[in-house]
Amino acid sequence: MNKVFLQSLTPFSYSLAPLSFSSNPPCSFLRFSLRASSSRAMASHIVGYPRIGPKRELKFALESFWDGKSSAEELQKVAADLRSAIWMQMAEAGIKYIPSNTFSYYDQVLDTTAMLGAVPDRYNWNGTEIGFDIYFSMARGNASVPAMEMTKWFDTNYHYIVPELGPDVKFSYASRKAVDEYNEAKVLGIDTIPVLVGPVSYLLLSKPAMAVEKSFSLLSLIDNIIPVYKEVVAELKAAGATWIQFDEPMLVKDLEAHQLQAFPYAYAELESTLSGWNVLVETYFADVPAEAYKILTSLKAVTAYGFDLVRGTKTLDSIKQGFPPGKFLFAGVVDGRNIWANNLASSLNTLQALGDIVGKEKVVVSTSCSLLHTAVDRVNETKLDEEIKSWLAFATQKVVEVNALAKALSEQKAEVFFSANAAALASRKSSLRVTNETVQKAVAALNDSDHRRATNVSVRLDAQQKKLNLPILPTTTIGSFPQTADLRRVRHEFKAKKISEEDYVNFIKEEINNVVKFQEELDIDVLVHGEPERNDMVEYFGEQLSGFVFTANGWVQSYGSRCVKPPIIYGDVSRPKPMTVFWSSTAQSLTKRPMKGMLTGPVTILNWSFVRDDQPRFETCYQIALAMKDEVEDLEKSGITVIQIDEAALREGLPLRKSEEAFYLNWAVHSFRITNSGVKDTTQIHTHMCYSNFNEIIHSIIDMDADVITIENSRSDKLLSVFREGVKYGAGIGPGVYDIHSPRIPPTEEIADRINKMLAVLESNILWVNPDCGLKTRKYSEVKSALTNMVASAKLIRNQLATAK
């Protein structure tokens, strides 16, 4: 029998000790105190794990390589050390089913594209094994060609690179990453489950390539990609793998009948290759609909099924109504998308009930999804409030929770550990710091109004134009300007109290002054102050709002090397004092051109935070909206006439099931309107939205009633198709004219061509010219060239329009 080793535990803490895996590891990983002996591994599983490292080691290695400061071998060494540390960490914790091939240098869907050799022609791939040059060109573009489209991964803040497919794509086995990583773990003595994006989900997550008819059936390519999957499976079998995990998250969506039928077809085609193997099909992020559940649980050659039982609680009803005898149920009861400690007693009850249905020996305790979407390790938070810290569990701690539940299900319950968990949950529930009655009363009063501005947008735009006197096709940027090493250093020194507040303020003022002059020299029409005082567009506001707490190392990957540090919303939210008025009014005093006040909207703050789970999300969002309403009105009083309230993540929060969309969109749009319903007609309200498919929610975007919306469009023209189909949009709109996520500088002619495509479906009097996102991650040399070309293209089209008249 296994024994549970428990070191001294404070209320629901995980006691950890250093564990190193190489002579010169890039980071320090940690040993679990709750371990399984080697006699028998428990029935536990992790869907996936964060790849960035506890201190963002992968981010820094990638950016060093991209900047030419380190070699490919050095990047590969950092990656290998991270992978081996993760595997050894899970093995030490007693996890039985440890995943491999969940690590990625950029994105797991892009890895699958590389595996299949589905490289768009513009990258001039020669058909050999895909290396970093082609791989990163697809992800980021290069000097000659743009990157592939990037969009949200379901309803998370992670982004994936969208495959571009068509009838002429010649699929071939072009990346052996899955096999290489399995062998890499095997050398360490760890037998992993290789993870692949399932063939049907891969095709459904793709789009027709540029020259391919939009009506092209992506699922018609299933027979073309299955042979490559067979080759991968055969190599993994030969290497000694006994399990494989196919991620098929599209099964949680509302699929049409022909899409659902692609699953049994694909797995029937794979059946002979998979014969004699243990096959797990993993789903996550929502319930699996009843019809999809029937199809999934009847797939040929499948041994096990994985379900998200945190966000997909209705799936429990399907399991109760019938589960295939003799199959394994991978029960995702530990939340992979939030940072709150698991309610172990409740989860154990769920697992025991499932055991009664399918047989306890067939239940495998798992995470609800990959832990990619949560922070890495709570042990690195040495300055976090101890009470709040006891309420949290990051990826490392969630691995412990999974193992503790698996052991408890096997009659080896760690009573001390469970008691500490119960004490932490009780502490959170009774804590006085969580509740603010004034805030709750203000939210309750919101039912009295739908918070719309008094006049319609066309009247407001006329009033604003009289005041602002902007040219046709006005130019602007989205908000942030490059964050230089000096700027980051000064912010860090101020936070560490190494420089005075006076010195810090003077430095930031000078930085703002430089950004204003920079824009005036480029002849941009509506300016921004560049946000030099801000570390992150959500964290900056959360630090100044009550009800938030922040981590030092709670980083989460957004895409590639881009990481965010989501705030933790633990209590009721309010605004103690103005947050941006000083900096915005300072910037406006430096120029006669309009200066945008820059705010992050309530829905985005919500969706890009780790949100409390003890009240409905919409109530928390309304609290944030009221706080931002106070800020908007203070900006207006200070003389700011253009205020941008970014809702970059509004689409991201859209539920995966259509039946739930209307409720979400109603409160999300209402939250935005709350922030600005009280401003004058002459105050122009902008909003901005990032990478997502907006077509299906265009009417909700219109209902937001913003005066101007700037929106990502540079990697895809999907948005323009809405207007081609006849949707009428009367407010100002600025579809991004170039991609800021790529180092590539678009020439003036290319940007002008994009503007002309926009003018084919949009009136010239509402069109704005802007990049597709903030410039924070770019270098000044890149920004200057790109914005110069952008302004030149706007002037070129203005002249053409004037001549035509």
Side-chain angles (χ1 to χ4, degrees):
M1 296 292 289
N2 289 340
K3 294 181 180 179
V4 177
F5 296 91
L6 285 172
Q7 298 176 1
S8 174
L9 295 174
T10 54
F12 201 49
S13 67
Y14 303 89
S15 180
L16 305 167
L19 180 65
S20 62
F21 303 119
S22 64
S23 56
N24 294 293
C27 51
S28 175
F29 279 84
L30 302 153
R31 181 187 305 272
F32 297 93
S33 63
L34 187 66
R35 299 181 296 174
S37 69
S38 60
S39 60
R40 182 170 64 87
M42 304 306 300
S44 52
H45 167 251
I46 306 298
V47 177
Y49 199 82
R51 19 173 117 125
I52 59 172
K55 300 286 182 68
R56 294 181 292 164
E57 290 80 0
L58 181 62
K59 168 190 172 66
F60 299 124
L62 282 167
E63 291 174 357
S64 176
F65 173 70
W66 293 337
D67 288 342
K69 297 176 182 176
S70 60
S71 66
E73 291 73 21
E74 288 172 306
L75 172 58
Q76 289 165 337
K77 175 64 167 60
V78 171
D81 284 340
L82 286 168
R83 286 193 298 268
S84 63
I86 291 166
W87 293 325
M88 292 291 285
Q89 188 183 37
M90 291 190 202
E92 179 71 13
I95 300 300
K96 181 176 182 179
Y97 301 109
I98 298 172
S100 61
N101 199 41
T102 58
F103 180 90
S104 178
Y105 287 101
Y106 207 95
D107 163 52
Q108 70 269 15
V109 180
L110 180 62
D111 292 349
T112 309
T113 297
M115 180 187 83
L116 295 168
V119 181
D121 290 341
R122 65 182 178 274
Y123 299 107
N124 297 318
W125 175 51
N126 61 12
T128 59
E129 181 91 2
I130 290 175
F132 282 159
D133 54 345
I134 295 295
Y135 181 83
F136 288 130
S137 289
M138 289 192 289
R140 307 176 69 237
N142 58 42
S144 304
V145 292
M148 295 169 68
E149 181 186 351
M150 181 166 64
T151 197
K152 298 288 187 184
W153 177 245
F154 293 82
D155 58 348
T156 74
N157 186 30
Y158 179 77
H159 303 69
Y160 76 97
I161 302 297
V162 182
E164 302 174 12
L165 306 179
D168 298 327
V169 175
K170 306 298 182 187
F171 296 97
S172 63
Y173 188 12
S175 170
R176 284 164 171 75
K177 176 178 175 291
V179 179
D180 291 342
E181 290 189 14
Y182 174 79
N183 286 328
E184 195 178 314
K186 193 174 180 181
V187 169
L188 298 171
I190 301 172
D191 186 25
T192 59
I193 303 184
V195 179
L196 301 177
V197 175
V200 182
S201 287
Y202 176 78
L203 292 177
L204 292 176
L205 289 164
S206 304
K207 71 171 188 176
M210 209 170 299
V212 176
E213 289 292 327
K214 300 307 176 188
S215 59
F216 173 72
S217 172
L218 294 162
L219 288 175
S220 68
L221 299 173
I222 194 73
D223 288 323
N224 301 48
I225 68 171
I226 288 296
V228 180
Y229 274 88
K230 287 182 176 180
E231 286 188 71
V232 180
V233 168
E235 279 200 15
L236 286 167
K237 268 190 175 181
T242 57
W243 277 84
I244 189 168
Q245 175 179 320
F246 290 106
D247 283 2
E248 293 283 11
M250 286 299 291
L251 279 164
V252 306
K253 299 276 281 182
D254 294 312
L255 299 180
E256 297 175 11
H258 76 282
Q259 295 172 320
L260 282 173
Q261 288 307 312
F263 289 93
Y265 179 82
Y267 285 88
E269 290 296 304
L270 287 168
E271 183 180 9
S272 60
T273 309
L274 295 172
S275 178
W277 232 17
N278 292 301
V279 178
L280 165 64
V281 175
E282 184 67 52
T283 67
Y284 36 76
F285 299 149
D287 291 297
V288 175
E291 187 60 30
Y293 178 84
K294 291 177 186 177
I295 288 174
L296 169 61
T297 52
S298 62
L299 291 179
K300 294 182 177 181
V302 176
T303 314
Y305 311 95
F307 300 106
D308 181 339
L309 300 181
V310 176
R311 291 179 176 241
T313 53
K314 293 179 184 176
T315 301
L316 288 169
D317 295 331
S318 296
I319 295 170
K320 290 173 184 175
Q321 291 169 16
F323 189 80
K327 304 291 186 178
F328 288 93
L329 170 60
F330 280 60
V333 294
V334 173
D335 193 352
R337 290 184 58 175
N338 217 322
I339 42 66
W340 301 110
N342 188 272
N343 186 328
L344 294 179
S346 176
S347 293
L348 183 57
N349 287 337
T350 299
L351 292 166
Q352 289 169 336
L354 291 170
D356 292 340
I357 298 168
V358 307
K360 188 191 299 184
E361 73 284 355
K362 293 298 182 181
V363 176
V364 178
V365 183
S366 186
T367 52
S368 65
C369 62
S370 173
L371 298 177
L372 173 72
H373 309 289
T374 192
V376 179
D377 195 344
R378 195 192 66 184
V379 77
N380 295 316
E381 303 306 325
T382 56
K383 296 181 180 179
L384 195 60
D385 178 276
E386 285 300 321
E387 182 185 26
I388 294 176
K389 188 175 179 179
S390 74
W391 304 342
L392 310 178
F394 293 177
T396 299
Q397 289 71 45
K398 289 177 185 293
V399 171
V400 178
E401 291 179 335
V402 167
N403 188 53
L405 287 165
K407 295 175 80 65
L409 191 61
S410 301
E411 311 301 333
Q412 300 175 69
K413 183 178 179 182
E415 296 291 352
V416 174
F417 190 75
F418 271 68
S419 295
N421 170 258
L425 296 177
S427 162
R428 182 181 170 205
K429 188 174 182 179
S430 61
S431 177
L432 296 176
R433 65 171 70 192
V434 171
T435 305
N436 182 324
E437 289 187 12
T438 302
V439 172
Q440 292 185 352
K441 287 178 181 177
V443 169
L446 289 174
N447 293 328
D448 297 338
S449 170
D450 65 355
H451 296 90
R452 293 183 183 275
R453 293 173 76 177
T455 53
N456 66 45
V457 69
S458 60
V459 173
R460 299 197 308 263
L461 288 176
D462 286 343
Q464 292 156 15
Q465 179 59 17
K466 288 175 184 176
K467 185 165 188 175
L468 299 173
N469 193 29
L470 297 173
I472 197 168
L473 306 180
T475 55
T476 190
T477 64
I478 302 306
S480 62
F481 264 66
Q483 300 255 323
T484 63
D486 277 350
L487 176 55
R488 290 192 297 269
R489 174 185 56 78
V490 168
R491 272 208 317 263
H492 177 76
E493 288 176 351
F494 177 61
K495 204 167 189 178
K497 299 182 179 178
K498 292 181 179 179
I499 61 173
S500 68
E501 181 175 4
E502 182 181 2
D503 287 342
Y504 171 74
V505 169
N506 287 337
F507 180 91
I508 297 297
K509 281 183 174 180
E510 184 59 29
E511 188 74 14
I512 291 172
N513 185 51
N514 292 337
V515 168
V516 170
K517 286 182 178 178
F518 182 81
Q519 294 170 91
E520 287 184 329
E521 288 169 1
L522 292 173
D523 203 18
I524 291 174
D525 300 305
V526 176
L527 311 188
V528 297
H529 76 288
E531 304 176 15
E533 78 284 9
R534 305 183 191 184
N535 43 8
D536 174 84
M537 63 182 288
V538 173
E539 184 175 357
Y540 176 79
F541 290 98
E543 285 177 336
Q544 300 181 76
L545 295 169
S546 63
F548 285 74
V549 71
F550 292 84
T551 62
N553 292 290
W555 297 98
V556 178
Q557 184 183 23
S558 179
Y559 62 86
S561 68
R562 170 71 171 153
C563 301
V564 294
K565 190 150 56 72
I568 297 169
I569 305 177
Y570 69 87
D572 291 335
V573 178
S574 62
R575 186 196 73 147
K577 61 182 181 180
M579 301 177 286
T580 66
V581 174
F582 174 76
W583 297 118
S584 292
S585 55
T586 296
Q588 184 63 82
S589 71
L590 299 171
T591 181
K592 293 182 179 179
R593 301 186 186 211
M595 175 65 61
K596 285 197 279 190
M598 299 300 305
L599 305 176
T600 302
V603 183
T604 297
I605 291 177
L606 182 88
N607 285 337
W608 285 357
S609 296
F610 291 125
V611 183
R612 58 190 294 190
D613 57 0
D614 58 346
Q615 71 177 16
R617 287 174 69 88
F618 70 84
E619 288 189 15
T620 303
C621 198
Y622 285 158
Q623 292 178 1
I624 302 169
L626 288 172
M628 301 312 291
K629 180 178 188 291
D630 292 342
E631 188 71 14
V632 167
E633 291 172 0
D634 281 348
L635 280 169
E636 185 182 55
K637 289 173 187 174
S638 73
I640 302 298
T641 56
V642 181
I643 302 172
Q644 181 169 309
I645 308 166
D646 286 345
E647 284 296 11
L650 186 139
R651 170 62 178 79
E652 175 182 309
L654 191 69
L656 300 178
R657 308 299 296 281
K658 290 191 180 300
S659 60
E660 300 168 6
E661 288 180 358
F663 177 70
Y664 166 77
L665 289 170
N666 181 60
W667 63 254
V669 170
H670 188 191
S671 295
F672 177 82
R673 290 203 306 261
I674 287 169
T675 65
N676 62 86
S677 59
V679 300
K680 303 171 185 175
D681 284 358
T682 51
T683 298
Q684 190 168 83
I685 298 296
H686 289 223
T687 191
H688 171 69
M689 295 184 176
C690 289
Y691 290 107
S692 279
N693 183 0
F694 299 104
N695 294 22
E696 60 204 69
I697 64 165
I698 188 65
H699 293 290
S700 294
I701 292 174
I702 293 170
D703 198 39
M704 291 170 71
D705 201 26
D707 297 310
V708 178
I709 179 171
T710 54
I711 203 162
E712 181 278 326
N713 188 64
S714 65
R715 290 197 184 190
S716 169
D717 283 328
K718 286 180 184 176
L719 176 67
L720 298 184
S721 67
V722 169
F723 304 113
R724 292 189 194 102
E725 292 163 6
V727 170
K728 300 299 181 184
Y729 191 77
I733 184 167
V737 297
Y738 81 89
D739 177 20
I740 68 90
H741 296 90
S742 170
R744 178 175 175 270
I745 309 299
T748 300
E749 296 75 14
E750 180 181 311
I751 298 176
D753 181 60
R754 293 192 68 84
I755 296 172
N756 277 322
K757 287 179 179 178
M758 294 170 189
L759 286 171
V761 293
L762 294 166
E763 296 295 329
S764 59
N765 65 326
I766 64 169
L767 185 62
W768 286 62
V769 177
N770 48 264
D772 66 10
C773 209
L775 305 171
K776 174 181 177 180
T777 60
R778 300 265 56 92
K779 298 176 178 141
Y780 263 104
S781 57
E782 297 167 340
V783 168
K784 183 175 183 179
S785 298
L787 290 182
T788 296
N789 293 350
M790 184 189 83
V791 172
S793 66
K795 291 180 177 180
L796 176 66
I797 303 299
R798 285 174 196 162
N799 289 335
Q800 291 175 356
L801 291 172
T803 301
K805 285 184 179 179

